[in-house]
Amino acid sequence: MSAVVKLSNVHKSFGTNKVLDGVSFEVGRGEVAAVIGQSGSGKSTALRCINALETIDGGTIDVCGHAVHDAKLDRRSLRRDVGIVFQSYNLFPHLTAEQNIMLAPSCVKKVSKSEARDLAHDVLRRVGLAEKAGHFPEQLSGGQQQRVAIARSLAMQPKLMLFDEVTSALDPQLTGEVLKVMEDLARGGMTMILVTHEMAFARKVASQVVYMHKGKVWETGPGSMLDSPKTAELADFVGSGL
Amino acid sequence: MPGFSLVHLEFLGWAAMWTLGLSAIAFVGGGLVGFAVALMRISPIRWVRYAAIAYIQVVQGTPLLILLFLIYFGIAIVGFQEVPALIAAGIGLTIYSSGFLAEIWRGCLQSVPKTQWEAAECLALTPWQRMTRVILPQAMRIATPPTVGFLVQIVKNTSLASVVGFVELAQAGKLINNSIFEPFTVFMVVAAIYFAICFPLSTWSRRLERKLNVSRR
Ligand SMILES: Nc1ncnc2c1ncn2[C@@H]1O[C@H](COP(=O)(O)OP(=O)(O)O)[C@@H](O)[C@H]1O
Ligand SMILES: [Mg+2]
C-alpha cells in the first residue's frame, strides 16, 4: 500500500505496433527507479502512460491514489501530484525562467504573485540558478534550461517526478550539473522514475533498476543487477556500453 | 461640363471612410468568428473539427460577390424587406474574412510545437489557461504578419460591397465618373487612395515578418 506508482500488466499499442506488452512494476515512496533499455523498447511510452499523456489498452496504473487507467480519471488532479521533465526541456520561450516557474503555482494553486515569485526563487536556488531568474530560455545553456524545467516541476511540490532522458541532449559537462540536481532530489526523499542512459548514475542513485526489452520488463532488481545480469539481453545491453 | 474638382475629392474622402469602416467591421467580425472556427478546427472532437473544415471550405470556395448576393437577397427572403447595405455588406465580408482568418490562425496555433501543449498540460493548466498563457502568446507572434497582410485583402475586397448598393470608395468613383465622364482621372484618384491605405499595411506586415525572422534566427 506504500507504493506511489503501481503498473500491473499494462498493454499499449500504436496501431499494430505493440509497444507495452504486459508491463508491471511498482515504485515505493522515496524510491528512485531507473528505467533502462534500447531505444524503442517502450520506456518513454511507459512514462507517458503513468502521466496519462497516453491512454492504455489494458492493465492498471495507480499513481498517488489516482486510477490512471480509469476513463473517469481527473487528469488535472493527477498532474498536480506528478511532475515530468522531458529530454527537450520544453520551457515556454516567451516567459523568463522565473515566469515559467510561477505560471503553474499561480494558475493552478492560485497562490499570490509574490508568493509564486518567492517559490520560484526558492526552487531556482535548489537547482543552482538563483541568478538566472530574469533570463529567457534562449539566453540559457541546455543544462541551465533543463534545470529550470526541473525547478518548474518542483514548484508544484509533486509527490512523484518523472524524467525522460533529461540529459540525452546535453554534452557531458552539462550532463553533470543536471545529474547533480537529480541526485540531490533523490537524497531529499523524492520519489522518482527516470529513463536514462547514464548507467553509472543509475547504479549510484537508483534503488531499483527496470530493464525494458521489446515492451516487457525483462529484468528488474537493485542497481547491483547491472554488474551481474541474469539475462543475455541485459548483459548485451550493459556490455554495449550504452 | 465641370471637371474633377475639390467637391469630388471630398466625396471620395468620405467614401474612403466607409471603406475603412467596412474593413474594420469585416476584420473585427471576421476575427471573432474566425478565431472560434480556428479553435474548432483543432478540436479533439471529430465532428467539431469537420464542421469547421466544412465552413472554411465553403467560405473559401465561394466568390465574395456571390456571398454578398446571397446575404443580400437571403435576408430579404427571410422576411426583412429593406436590408441596410451596411448590414448586408458587413455580414458578407465578416463571413468571407472569417473563412480565411480561421485557416491562417489554425496554422499559427498548430505551429506551436506539440511539446509546448503537452508541457502546459503536464503542469495541470486548464485548457483555457493553456491557450491564453502558453499557446496564444507564441501563436500571436507568428500570426501577426500574415494577419496584417490579409487586412490588405479585406480593404481591397470591400469594393465588391457596391453590388449590394453600398457606397464605398470604388462605388463613389463610379458615381462621380457617371456625372463627369473622366474615368482616367477619377479612377487614378480612387486607386491612389486605395494605395494610400494598403501600402502602409503591407509595409507594416513585411516589417513584422522581418522582425519575426530575426528573432527566430
Ligand atoms: N505517438 C506515437 N505514435 C506511434 N508510435 C509511437 C508513438 N510514440 C512511440 N511510438 C512507437 O513506440 C515504440 C516505443 O517508443 P518509445 O516508448 O519512445 O521508446 P523508448 O523511449 O524506449 O525509446 C517505438 O517503436 C515508437 O516508434
Ligand atoms: Mg524515449
Side-chain angles (χ1 to χ4, degrees):
Chain A
M1 198 52 233
S2 75
V4 173
V5 181
K6 185 171 174 118
L7 284 75
S8 302
N9 200 24
V10 171
H11 289 261
K12 168 77 185 172
S13 301
F14 291 110
T16 57
N17 183 9
K18 193 140 189 55
V19 177
L20 298 181
D21 189 7
V23 168
S24 305
F25 65 87
E26 54 179 276
V27 183
R29 190 170 309 286
E31 259 200 291
V32 176
V35 180
I36 59 172
Q38 276 92 347
S39 159
S41 55
K43 308 179 296 293
S44 296
T45 305
L47 274 201
R48 293 170 60 84
C49 289
I50 290 171
N51 200 21
L53 279 172
E54 307 284 355
T55 54
I56 60 176
D57 306 331
T60 61
I61 302 180
D62 291 281
V63 178
C64 308
H66 305 274
V68 178
H69 49 275
D70 193 333
K72 291 194 294 289
L73 168 73
D74 178 352
R75 285 185 158 72
R76 290 189 58 227
S77 107
L78 169 72
R79 274 130 188 193
R80 288 177 65 140
D81 291 338
V82 181
I84 185 163
V85 183
F86 302 94
Q87 180 179 338
S88 52
Y89 335 131
N90 302 350
L91 292 178
F92 304 132
H94 60 295
L95 300 177
T96 62
E98 175 186 79
Q99 290 167 335
N100 261 279
I101 299 169
M102 290 165 64
L103 184 63
S106 32
C107 281
V108 179
K109 292 193 168 171
K110 310 286 179 201
V111 310
S112 73
K113 198 161 180 183
S114 68
E115 243 177 297
R117 184 167 292 118
D118 290 346
L119 188 59
H121 285 241
D122 204 43
V123 287
L124 278 174
R125 208 168 306 119
R126 279 171 75 182
V127 300
L129 289 173
E131 77 287 359
K132 300 290 185 190
H135 287 57
F136 284 93
E138 62 172 8
Q139 300 170 311
L140 300 172
S141 74
Q144 291 170 337
Q145 288 190 50
Q146 194 57 292
R147 282 145 70 197
V148 173
I150 294 174
R152 181 172 71 176
S153 280
L154 289 179
M156 289 295 281
Q157 287 147 339
K159 300 189 180 119
L160 167 70
M161 285 285 288
L162 307 173
F163 297 89
D164 190 2
E165 298 196 29
V166 293
T167 58
S168 294
L170 304 173
D171 53 40
Q173 185 192 345
L174 301 181
T175 297
E177 65 190 36
V178 174
L179 292 182
K180 171 157 187 321
V181 166
M182 292 165 68
E183 197 179 334
D184 289 347
L185 266 182
R187 283 240 175 73
M190 177 65 77
T191 310
M192 303 172 22
I193 303 178
L194 43 106
V195 172
T196 185
H197 286 301
E198 303 286 335
M199 289 304 146
F201 183 73
R203 201 179 266 118
K204 181 167 149 202
V205 177
S207 39
Q208 180 190 174
V209 175
V210 176
Y211 171 59
M212 286 190 63
H213 186 65
K214 293 187 173 160
K216 290 185 162 73
V217 175
W218 208 258
E219 204 175 325
T220 176
S224 59
M225 89 176 194
L226 295 172
D227 302 318
S228 50
K230 288 195 203 70
T231 61
E233 287 80 5
L234 179 57
D236 258 14
F237 179 69
V238 177
S240 69
L242 261 173
Chain B
M1 181 173 294
F4 190 78
S5 69
L6 213 58
V7 182
H8 298 127
L9 198 59
E10 208 183 308
F11 182 54
L12 287 180
W14 172 81
M17 288 302 138
W18 282 110
T19 289
L20 285 176
L22 191 55
S23 302
I25 292 172
F27 182 65
V28 173
L32 290 173
V33 178
F35 184 64
V37 176
L39 289 181
M40 288 171 62
R41 180 65 184 69
I42 57 172
S43 161
I45 305 161
R46 190 185 309 173
W47 71 262
V48 174
R49 214 162 50 233
Y50 284 177
I53 293 174
Y55 178 84
I56 292 169
Q57 290 300 326
V58 168
V59 172
Q60 291 202 357
T62 311
L64 178 55
L65 191 64
I66 306 301
L67 200 59
L68 288 166
F69 278 137
L70 281 173
I71 302 289
Y72 189 62
F73 295 113
I75 295 179
I77 288 169
V78 184
F80 298 91
Q81 288 304 310
E82 279 292 296
V83 191
L86 178 65
I87 304 271
I91 294 176
L93 277 155
T94 289
I95 294 175
Y96 161 81
S97 311
S98 69
F100 286 88
L101 287 174
E103 195 60 12
I104 293 174
W105 291 347
R106 173 200 63 85
C108 295
L109 288 171
Q110 286 186 331
S111 73
V112 177
K114 194 167 158 260
T115 50
Q116 290 283 312
W117 297 72
E118 274 185 3
E121 198 183 328
C122 289
L123 287 169
L125 301 193
T126 63
W128 172 254
Q129 290 166 342
R130 176 177 63 187
M131 186 53 79
T132 55
R133 308 295 294 271
V134 176
I135 304 304
L136 278 184
Q138 298 183 57
M140 263 157 69
R141 281 166 34 102
I142 310 167
T144 314
T147 303
V148 174
F150 183 68
L151 258 173
V152 174
Q153 301 301 317
I154 295 182
V155 170
K156 289 193 290 190
N157 278 322
T158 54
S159 61
L160 287 171
S162 56
V163 300
V164 294
F166 188 78
V167 182
E168 40 61 67
L169 191 50
Q171 179 71 357
K174 228 181 318 178
L175 292 176
I176 294 174
N177 184 50
N178 287 348
S179 71
I180 63 173
F181 305 109
E182 281 183 35
F184 194 71
T185 315
V186 173
F187 288 113
M188 275 304 277
V189 174
V190 168
I193 298 178
Y194 273 116
F195 184 78
I197 298 172
C198 294
F199 181 69
L201 286 176
S202 47
T203 309
W204 183 30
S205 162
R206 265 201 311 281
R207 189 175 316 141
L208 287 169
E209 193 150 9
R210 253 200 321 275
K211 222 163 84 186
L212 189 66
N213 288 338
V214 168
S215 68
R216 273 169 153 191
R217 251 159 307 159

